[in-house]
Amino acid sequence: MRLPSSIFVSVSLFTAETTAALYLSSTYRSAGDQIWQGLTLLFTLVPSVLVQLTLTFIHRDLSRDRPLVLLLHILQLGPIVRCLEAFCIYGSVGRVEEPYVSITRKKQMPKDGLSEEVERQVGQAEGKLFTHRAAFARTSVIQAFLGSAPQLTLQLYICILQQRVSIGRGTLMVISLLSIVYGALRCNILAIKIKYDDYEVDVKPTAYLCIFLWRSFEIATRVVVLVLFSSVLQIWVLPVVLVNFLIFFSYPWILFWQSGSPFPENIEKTLTRVGTTIVLCLLTFLYAGVNMFCWSAVQLKLNDPDLINKSQNWYRMAVYYMLRFVENATLILLWYVFQTDFYRFVCSPLLVLQLLVGYAIGIFFMLVFYQFCHPCKKLFSSSISLGLWECINFLCLLCAVHRGEGPAEKMALEQPPSDKDIANDTAEMNGNLSQSLSSNP
């Protein structure tokens, strides 16, 4: 049984970020910056409350007689208690014989086109640890994109306005960035395990490294672009954020309404229709928050029983990254055009180039992950390189249409040769061959 290290990392980041944010808010209070203090506390307490509710909901504490645990959740100490509980379960494995075990069947990764199914016994302790890991994987994503991402954006914006980085603010920004990257990494692993639930998935260290580098470059450049744009065009940053958020929030609902599927009723038996609607809205809210800063590996599909789209859609990913790259380039170029003397000590062209190259490096590591390091790449129906090649061909077709080459010309180019053309080509080849033989006896 594996050590619950992922739970320890999640709780460590949660505790460190909360402590650093509370200390920084106290310094804002001493300096008289009440607005920065209020926003710092807001981006700390709101995700903390959502994390407590998520842990309580997943472990079904409301239907169990656990008043002490509920009290600790109210005091915002739930993650620490859950972490201690998980390590206690891990330490008790093997000491007492378990009266009940379940049998799971998982397929191994195909070798030479064959895939064997392996049976394995799962005890109660391992089942409880699995629940803890799943709960903390979800809370890491909530903490990352509903707390750490807004917190990092806010503190970087304050640093640019004040033109200095204090120790407390710098510490909080580093912890927040690590929390966001870790949440995105857990989102990737969660998506893989959900999509390939029938298989025994083994994620190697090189895959973790590729995901970490991919998400680090992608998220860091995205946050810097948003902050720089907002520092010179404060009025226009709100429409940009709202349009992004509304598009990603409404997209799963539009697909759901177009499918004509009935309203989901199997999320939780104890939930009413209103409660189910609230849960779905919170899920789409989190989905929009993730896509604001990076590509969400978990794609919502509200008409699916698991609420997850398990198909690998390379086109959607390619369109997202192309549009996001164009958006980042547009925002940073607008910053370059409208910047004031406030940035006179910054080499603006070099900064623009660094941000664009940084985002391109993030995309590069994403391609490396899906092409070489994905644990289930043998199950892909098509590779990402093939998907990108098809997207490039599609863009070339659009460019050809834009230049004036209509569909008729395109069809003529792709039309197979007729029998008459083949006969003419054959006769021409025979004539050339006869002439070469006669000239070279």
Side-chain angles (χ1 to χ4, degrees):
M1 185 183 299
R2 293 184 294 109
L3 182 72
S5 56
S6 61
I7 297 177
F8 178 76
V9 174
S10 300
V11 175
S12 299
L13 289 173
F14 172 81
T15 306
E17 186 175 6
T18 303
T19 304
L22 292 177
Y23 169 76
L24 187 60
S25 65
S26 66
T27 61
Y28 285 143
R29 181 180 180 182
S30 301
D33 297 328
Q34 297 181 354
I35 297 178
W36 302 142
Q37 178 195 5
L39 291 175
T40 302
L41 289 176
L42 177 67
F43 295 143
T44 301
L45 296 178
V46 171
S48 179
V49 171
L50 293 176
V51 166
Q52 313 300 325
L53 292 175
T54 303
L55 291 174
T56 304
F57 178 78
I58 292 177
H59 290 280
R60 294 180 172 85
D61 290 322
L62 296 178
S63 60
R64 302 160 64 185
D65 188 13
R66 306 187 69 183
L68 179 60
V69 173
L70 291 176
L71 176 62
L72 293 173
H73 274 291
I74 294 175
L75 298 176
Q76 307 302 306
L77 298 175
I80 299 176
V81 176
R82 297 294 185 190
C83 181
L84 294 175
E85 184 179 353
F87 274 91
C88 289
I89 294 173
Y90 178 80
S92 64
V93 173
R95 295 182 180 179
V96 182
E97 185 178 356
E98 296 183 276
Y100 173 76
V101 295
S102 59
I103 298 176
T104 61
R105 294 180 176 86
K106 294 284 187 179
K107 297 179 182 178
Q108 293 183 338
M109 285 295 116
K111 294 181 180 180
D112 299 330
L114 300 176
S115 178
E116 296 182 357
E117 192 175 57
V118 179
E119 291 186 355
R120 190 169 66 89
Q121 291 183 349
V122 179
Q124 289 180 326
E126 189 173 355
K128 292 179 181 178
L129 275 180
F130 177 80
T131 303
H132 279 283
R133 287 193 181 95
F136 275 97
R138 287 158 175 81
T139 56
S140 296
V141 179
I142 294 173
Q143 174 67 25
F145 293 99
L146 298 185
S148 301
Q151 189 76 268
L152 176 61
T153 307
L154 172 67
Q155 302 307 324
L156 183 58
Y157 181 76
I158 297 173
C159 288
I160 291 178
L161 289 184
Q162 298 182 356
Q163 291 188 339
R164 65 183 181 89
V165 182
S166 62
I167 297 177
R169 193 182 296 126
T171 303
L172 179 57
M173 287 194 297
V174 171
I175 297 174
S176 298
L177 180 60
L178 290 176
S179 177
I180 303 169
V181 174
Y182 181 74
L185 187 148
R186 296 308 308 172
C187 185
N188 274 93
I189 303 302
L190 183 64
I192 292 172
K193 292 186 176 181
I194 291 176
K195 291 179 181 179
Y196 305 100
D197 185 55
D198 297 334
Y199 290 86
E200 191 71 31
V201 178
D202 182 22
V203 184
K204 297 181 180 181
T206 52
Y208 281 109
L209 180 61
C210 278
I211 297 175
F212 182 83
L213 294 173
W214 159 25
R215 295 306 195 178
S216 298
F217 282 99
E218 179 183 7
I219 294 169
T221 53
R222 175 64 175 171
V223 171
V224 173
V225 167
L226 288 176
V227 171
L228 289 177
F229 178 76
S230 63
S231 64
V232 296
L233 297 171
Q234 294 90 348
I235 299 177
W236 291 100
V237 70
L238 186 60
V240 171
V241 173
L242 287 178
V243 168
N244 272 271
F245 185 83
L246 290 176
I247 289 175
F248 291 111
F249 182 84
S250 59
Y251 181 69
W253 290 101
I254 292 174
L255 294 180
F256 172 69
W257 289 325
Q258 287 180 347
S259 65
S261 302
F263 190 79
E265 301 287 352
N266 57 342
I267 297 178
E268 183 67 30
K269 295 181 180 179
T270 58
L271 291 178
T272 61
R273 192 179 183 89
V274 176
T276 302
T277 305
I278 293 174
V279 171
L280 292 177
C281 288
L282 290 176
L283 283 176
T284 49
F285 186 88
L286 177 61
Y287 175 76
V290 174
N291 282 283
M292 275 288 300
F293 295 91
C294 66
W295 166 257
S296 175
V298 177
Q299 296 292 308
L300 286 183
K301 189 177 182 181
L302 300 181
N303 58 341
D304 189 270
D306 296 328
L307 303 179
I308 301 297
N309 187 2
K310 297 182 180 181
S311 62
Q312 190 67 55
N313 195 325
W314 302 120
Y315 290 102
R316 186 181 299 178
M317 180 182 292
V319 169
Y320 173 87
Y321 275 103
M322 285 190 293
L323 293 179
R324 183 65 77 201
F325 186 84
V326 171
E327 182 192 8
N328 286 343
T330 303
L331 295 180
I332 196 62
L333 289 177
L334 288 174
W335 167 81
Y336 180 78
V337 171
F338 291 99
Q339 64 175 325
T340 60
D341 294 337
F342 184 79
Y343 294 96
R344 60 185 179 276
F345 298 109
V346 178
C347 183
S348 301
L350 180 60
L351 181 58
V352 171
L353 181 62
Q354 286 176 340
L355 291 174
L356 295 179
V357 171
Y359 197 80
I361 292 174
I363 297 176
F364 169 76
F365 281 111
M366 182 265 292
L367 297 175
V368 172
F369 169 71
Y370 279 105
Q371 187 70 29
F372 302 106
C373 302
H374 197 286
C376 303
K377 62 180 182 295
K378 294 181 180 179
L379 303 175
F380 289 168
S381 58
S382 62
S383 65
I384 189 171
S385 57
L386 180 60
L388 289 176
W389 180 251
E390 292 178 353
C391 289
I392 292 173
N393 290 336
F394 177 72
L395 292 177
C396 292
L397 175 61
L398 292 180
C399 293
V401 173
H402 180 71
R403 289 197 305 265
E405 296 178 6
E409 289 80 355
K410 186 67 179 178
M411 290 179 63
L413 292 174
E414 297 179 352
Q415 185 177 0
S418 62
D419 295 338
K420 184 178 180 180
D421 295 334
I422 295 175
N424 293 334
D425 293 340
T426 304
E428 185 178 355
M429 289 176 61
N430 292 334
N432 293 335
L433 182 60
S434 302
Q435 184 178 359
S436 63
L437 291 175
S438 60
S439 60
N440 296 290

